[in-house]
Amino acid sequence: MPFFAYTVAFLFLPAGAILVGAFEGKTSGWTLSNVRLLFHHPYIDAYKTSIEISLVTALVGGVAGLFIAYAALRDGTPGWVRSVFTTFSGVAANFGGIPLAFAFIATAGPLGIVTVFLRNHGFDPSAHGFNLFSKTGVELAYLYFQLPLMILVISPAIDGLRREWREAAANLGAKQWQFWWHVGLPVLMPSILGATILLFGNAFAAYATAYSLTSGTVNIVPILIGAYYSGNVLDNPHLAQAMAFGMFVVLAVMMVLYVPLQRRAARWAK
Amino acid sequence: MAYLELQELHRDFGTVKALNGIDIALGEGEFLSLLGPSGCGKTTALRLVAGFDRPDQGRIVVDGKDVTRVSPNRRDMGMVFQAYSLFPNMTARQNVEFGLKIRGRDKAERRKRVDDLLELVGLTHAADRYPHQLSGGMQQRVALARALAIEPRVLLLDEPLSALDAKVRVQLREEIRRIQLELGITTLYVTHDQEEALAISDHVAVMYGGVIEQMGTPAEMYTAPATPFVAEFIGTMNRLEAIVLDGVEGDVEHSGLRLRVDAARGRRNGERVLVLIRPESLELEAATNGAAPNSFTGEVLTQTFLGPVTRLKVSGSGTNLIADLSTARAAALPVGARVVAKIPSEGAKLISLPDDGPGLPVLDPDDQ
Ligand SMILES: Nc1ncnc2c1ncn2[C@@H]1O[C@H](COP(=O)(O)OP(=O)(O)OP(=O)(O)O)[C@@H](O)[C@H]1O
Ligand SMILES: [Mg+2]
């Protein structure tokens, strides 16, 4: 009961307020105009950018994180590599905001050490279209916490792959890839799907990293919402609520896609 | 001619000599159990045969061909693991089918073969269940069928029953043996349960500390253990440390008592020996006045009901003995009764002990 009260107070009440607010007019009465506005420039573009960044970093981070986690955890990797890895992932997954942006500017910015190093060796990233203060830059920065998050979330599942399964498969004549195709990946799939959706949500709601990296030149939905609340364009607070409502809708759509996939992938499990 | 040969196998893990020279030759269609306490190297030996691990020295030969360097997926060996080895994302049927699918057999053939195998292990009704919907015993049946599906040249089982409860264990071991005989498949079976090994094997090899202590038929192993360790490990055994007094008559001395043991004839006087007596060959009677020859006098400490027989622990003259009596006779000798235990001079075995040796290996009671 206290838990329920807590849930209502801190989860449903704000969500409810946003839902109601999204359909309130600027002065009074109910309206759809806020929500309708979302489908126009610049809001619709912000959603597109947000979704794209989230999808790209969730998929790239998910796939790369899976491989890295497997390499770090499989038999034969020394124990210390494993513990250094887990600790580092735990820290890096929570790294974000201004410090992360600053770290990226210092390494991959126009005067960052990696940039300068590459330039001194005859390769100029900016000549190849790379700009840290762009969508690609944001994606790169996000990967810095997406990858470790994937590693953290998927590690228990990888640990759960039993040695007997690999050996039984080999014993029955399977090559390495046949084991992964028929057993390893299907067994991991529910966890991979779950982790990817988590990464998507993580990127979708992130705000500070992108904001401090690009000072608002890359428009993503949380930055637009933030702009309203930080007061420079405070002309209709209900529009901000409508944008937040839009984020709920996007996440809800993701869940609708995810749940049946998950159910299918996990149909063999308890 | 031997079908499966393990020749001089050595395997070290750091400083641990897991295998220190193992030699086994098994004829086609024979069933051999590797029996021994925890850590003696049974699993290591089996994994070398399966190809999951490579020996530091020695060879594995199947049907005249050296397979030591062949990778596991090309060895055609069926392996049954201790537990939880079924692919969790596949039904029983799909698990059994896996090896055939990998081998590219066509669908109709696969289906027929899987049906036959599921019937062989009595699981036709559970074909479409996932592993977590099967009991431990059923899972091991599926694992057996899966290993047999590829018609392996050798069947390997690593303590396949040790995670099951006693009743299922006995039932399933008999079934494994029935199927093995029916298919005539050469089988290497690892267990630490001596009763299991004796019950279902053609040959038993007792391992200890990375070497084979003794190999023989179950009857040989039981009646003629060659080393103190084997004597201790196989069945229950009374062991009396003794010195040979008279190697002509066959007299030995154990804690001040002179005993006549036929097996001591021809031994050197003063030799340290171990006299071995099975609990069922001790004769127990209520004590009367006067000392009987070749006997201990003592008191019944405990009685353990084992069904048709009752096991009595008798203590006296600084020695503890275990005797199995028919339950009816045991009733006449309650706890606390004074009894005489007669050593049958012809039924006792003798093993030499090193003159200044450490004596006997200490066994973990859990392994028994
Ligand atoms: N991969 C390994 N690395 C290091 N030591 C090992 C390894 N595998 C086995 N050993 C050691 O080798 C010895 C033999 O192990 P093995 O697993 O063969 O014993 P076992 O007879 O199967 O015992 P159990 O009945 O407990 O299964 C043990 O001392 C074990 O600790
Ligand atoms: Mg073992």
Side-chain angles (χ1 to χ4, degrees):
Chain A
M1 192 57 206
F3 177 73
F4 181 70
Y6 178 88
T7 316
V8 168
F10 291 96
L11 224 60
F12 291 128
L13 284 186
I18 285 170
L19 183 64
V20 173
F23 296 97
E24 269 180 63
K26 197 156 147 189
T27 44
S28 65
W30 301 101
T31 176
L32 280 175
S33 64
N34 298 325
V35 174
R36 214 174 285 135
L37 212 52
L38 295 184
F39 291 95
H40 294 92
H41 178 81
Y43 310 106
I44 189 70
D45 310 283
Y47 277 104
K48 279 186 190 153
T49 312
S50 269
I51 292 174
E52 189 192 318
I53 290 177
S54 308
L55 268 185
V56 167
T57 63
L59 293 179
V60 174
V63 171
L66 177 66
F67 279 106
I68 295 173
Y70 174 69
L73 298 185
R74 65 179 189 187
D75 305 341
T77 308
W80 64 268
V81 171
R82 187 194 173 97
S83 50
V84 164
F85 225 80
T86 331
T87 315
F88 178 75
S89 298
V91 175
N94 290 304
F95 198 40
I98 297 169
L100 178 60
F102 183 75
F104 262 84
I105 293 169
T107 47
L111 292 174
I113 47 172
V114 174
T115 316
V116 171
F117 175 84
L118 288 176
R119 203 176 288 144
N120 290 344
H121 287 76
F123 179 86
D124 187 357
S126 61
H128 290 75
F130 178 77
N131 171 13
L132 184 63
F133 310 121
S134 67
K135 200 163 63 188
T136 319
V138 172
E139 285 167 358
L140 202 64
Y142 276 23
L143 278 178
Y144 192 84
F145 56 76
Q146 294 283 65
L147 249 167
L149 181 61
M150 180 67 181
I151 294 173
L152 277 190
V153 176
I154 204 71
S155 289
I158 291 180
D159 272 333
L161 288 180
R162 302 183 62 90
R163 182 170 86 171
E164 286 89 338
W165 298 338
R166 212 166 343 118
E167 291 182 345
N171 191 247
L172 294 165
K175 299 191 182 69
Q176 185 92 338
W177 71 265
Q178 287 171 313
F179 162 74
W180 281 106
W181 180 250
H182 292 290
V183 184
L185 277 179
V187 170
L188 286 181
M189 197 45 78
S191 312
I192 293 176
L193 287 173
T196 308
I197 195 96
L198 180 72
L199 260 60
F200 180 89
N202 192 39
F204 197 60
Y207 161 70
T209 309
Y211 186 75
S212 37
L213 191 65
T214 67
S215 21
T217 56
V218 172
N219 262 345
I220 57 174
V221 182
I223 289 186
L224 281 191
I225 298 177
Y228 276 85
Y229 280 109
S230 60
N232 34 5
V233 251
L234 189 74
D235 98 287
N236 181 0
H238 296 303
L239 182 57
Q241 284 169 325
M243 282 192 278
F245 171 69
M247 289 182 74
F248 273 116
V249 172
V250 171
L251 288 177
V253 169
M254 289 307 289
M255 290 311 283
V256 167
L257 295 176
Y258 161 76
V259 169
L261 272 179
Q262 167 75 15
R263 187 163 299 156
R264 206 184 121 69
R267 69 190 181 286
W268 49 269
K270 271 168 254 237
Chain B
M1 207 203 103
Y3 184 75
L4 171 68
E5 287 175 82
L6 284 62
Q7 301 175 350
E8 253 318 283
L9 287 183
H10 286 259
R11 182 71 174 103
D12 297 348
F13 294 108
T15 54
V16 179
K17 287 193 178 309
L19 292 183
N20 200 3
I22 297 283
D23 280 287
I24 288 174
L26 196 58
E28 187 160 12
E30 289 185 324
F31 188 120
L32 178 126
S33 287
L34 285 176
L35 172 66
S38 189
C40 72
K42 308 179 296 287
T43 297
T44 305
L46 209 66
R47 291 173 57 82
L48 291 181
V49 177
F52 301 139
D53 192 11
R54 296 277 157 89
D56 297 321
Q57 243 186 75
R59 303 199 312 155
I60 295 149
V61 178
V62 179
D63 201 9
K65 287 193 199 67
D66 186 340
V67 299
T68 319
R69 304 275 142 195
V70 175
S71 66
N73 59 352
R74 306 180 61 204
R75 281 198 190 189
D76 272 331
M77 302 216 176
M79 175 111 176
V80 179
F81 298 82
Q82 191 164 357
Y84 310 117
S85 72
L86 294 183
F87 306 130
N89 58 321
M90 299 181 197
T91 60
R93 160 180 298 285
Q94 290 165 333
N95 264 281
V96 178
E97 197 180 6
F98 183 82
L100 300 170
K101 218 166 154 181
I102 293 293
R103 280 166 168 68
R105 302 289 162 77
D106 70 64
K107 207 161 183 176
E109 182 195 339
R110 282 184 343 226
R111 192 170 180 84
K112 164 108 183 52
R113 177 116 185 93
V114 171
D115 283 343
D116 289 350
L117 281 162
L118 286 172
E119 195 185 325
L120 187 70
V121 297
L123 277 184
T124 306
H125 63 288
D128 295 316
R129 293 200 211 158
Y130 286 102
H132 80 267
Q133 299 165 319
L134 300 170
S135 71
M138 289 161 106
Q139 290 182 26
Q140 290 306 78
R141 286 164 195 266
V142 177
L144 178 64
R146 181 178 71 175
L148 292 171
I150 59 170
E151 296 182 66
R153 298 193 290 172
V154 178
L155 181 64
L156 306 169
L157 305 102
D158 189 359
E159 309 210 25
L161 308 178
S162 62
L164 308 176
D165 59 50
K167 201 168 162 198
V168 181
R169 206 152 62 208
V170 171
Q171 195 185 350
L172 204 46
R173 79 184 187 204
E174 260 137 43
E175 227 164 307
I176 289 175
R177 175 62 160 164
R178 167 183 68 80
I179 291 169
Q180 184 268 336
L181 286 173
E182 197 174 315
L183 303 179
I185 186 166
T186 313
T187 300
L188 212 51
Y189 187 96
V190 162
T191 178
H192 63 256
D193 180 339
Q194 50 95 13
E195 189 199 320
E196 192 172 292
L198 297 183
I200 60 176
S201 313
D202 295 314
H203 305 277
V204 177
V206 171
M207 287 182 66
Y208 183 64
V211 297
I212 293 179
E213 289 261 321
Q214 187 183 355
M215 188 151 43
T217 65
E220 284 163 4
M221 303 300 283
Y222 189 80
T223 54
T227 70
F229 178 79
V230 175
E232 172 77 344
F233 200 73
I234 296 218
T236 306
M237 194 65 105
N238 290 295
R239 309 179 311 163
L240 309 176
E241 274 190 64
I243 307 259
V244 177
L245 290 181
D246 183 343
V248 179
E249 294 293 330
D251 285 353
V252 302
E253 186 240 283
H254 166 81
S255 63
L257 271 173
R258 195 179 182 100
L259 302 172
R260 177 150 300 179
V261 179
D262 293 355
R265 296 216 180 96
R267 297 279 177 163
R268 172 171 58 81
N269 287 356
E271 189 184 345
R272 283 181 72 219
V273 293
L274 200 58
V275 179
L276 304 172
I277 309 138
R278 290 286 176 199
E280 63 269 23
S281 48
L282 268 181
E283 289 167 34
L284 232 55
E285 281 165 13
T288 48
N289 290 332
N294 243 29
S295 314
F296 289 89
T297 307
E299 188 179 310
V300 177
L301 275 188
T302 60
Q303 281 211 4
T304 312
F305 176 68
L306 300 176
V309 297
T310 292
R311 176 160 292 177
L312 278 65
K313 202 177 263 179
V314 176
S315 169
S317 328
T319 302
N320 282 324
L321 291 173
I322 290 169
D324 287 350
L325 266 61
S326 75
T327 294
R329 286 196 46 215
L333 305 171
V335 171
R338 304 272 312 154
V339 292
V340 170
K342 189 160 181 292
I343 308 288
S345 62
E346 69 291 354
K349 295 274 181 259
L350 217 66
I351 296 176
S352 309
L353 285 178
D355 280 342
D356 54 349
L360 304 169
V362 181
L363 276 187
D364 186 337
D366 288 347
D367 293 331
Q368 291 277 326

